[in-house]
Amino acid sequence: MTASTSPSPETSPDASHALHSPVIAWFEEHARDLPWRRPEAGPWGVMVSEFMLQQTPVSRVLPVYEQWLARWPRPADLAAEAPGEAVRAWGRLGYPRRALRLHGAAVAITERHAGDVPREHAQLLALPGIGEYTAAAVASFAYGQRHAVLDTNVRRVFARTTTGVEYPPNATTAAERRLARALLPDDEATAARWAAASMELGALVCTAKSPDCARCPVAGLCAWRLAGKPAHDGPPRRGQTYAGTDRQVRGKLLAVLRDAVGPVPQAVLDTVWDEPVQRARALDGLVSDGLVEPLAAGLYRLPQGTPTGTPTSPSASTPAS
């Protein structure tokens, strides 16, 4: 079977159960002690971690996560501040629109759910900035519910152990979702543990570049390993370049605005990148994404909006959502 072939959703109960026990037992022994896994993190801590961990390694997330929860221990605490403060506190985690989306989710939680992260999957999915993966992850990790949680690590584990290919498709497919549901334990608590365990296995053992099959608790069952570890022959895997891209320019512009105590003149922003066309395009993109507010006289600042609970006036900005 090649990497371009969709994984079969047909998985026998016996095959599923054979994977569950060893992977969960491995997780019990080897899981990292991460702050969002501790009981005191609560649903809000889990949600914050899920936003931050998207496309960002744990080592970079940890210090920002700790600072974020110390400053904003509840959704209402974040919602009461301007969205620009979320962008500022996001620092150099990358993909800063996640900060605006998390702020928008905090506002919605405060206004719709009395400040408590909702338990129901449909309510989570209805929050701004929450997609299929994040809703399932919060419901599973925060509330112990039974949901298929498909991140990159889990998809890679399933591709290798069950489908027999080195890498999953570039984008999540319907066949992968069917497979994930077929592999899901029936019991809610076991399903939630399986979701966390399969994710950790992909992060620590069944890694993208250097899978450590000698440490894998299901190496003897892995279809890819048993097939002789056939090389990936599907579409090329997407790389993530950074140097010289608009992303780099946007990051440099945001760094100046994050460090500033007030609005920043255009002339100061012009010093961060020599190429004027790319610099202007990056700045326009930041404004279009709501990450930067243009003011009169060529000044720019992080978005202010109107914090939730603050009376609005005719001249007040609209809250971020």
Side-chain angles (χ1 to χ4, degrees), residues 73-93:
R74 302 170 304 161
D77 299 318
L78 175 58
E81 297 228 34
E85 288 306 300
V87 177
R88 193 188 311 278
W90 199 255
R92 298 184 180 275
L93 283 182

Side-chain angles (χ1 to χ4, degrees), residues 203-215:
L204 299 184
V205 175
C206 194
T207 58
K209 294 182 179 179
S210 304
D212 190 350
C213 297
R215 292 177 53 217

Side-chain angles (χ1 to χ4, degrees), residues 285-312:
L286 290 171
V287 171
S288 177
D289 289 342
L291 290 161
V292 172
E293 272 186 8
L295 303 173
L299 298 173
Y300 294 85
R301 68 181 181 186
L302 295 178
Q304 296 302 297
T306 304
T308 185
T310 302
T312 58

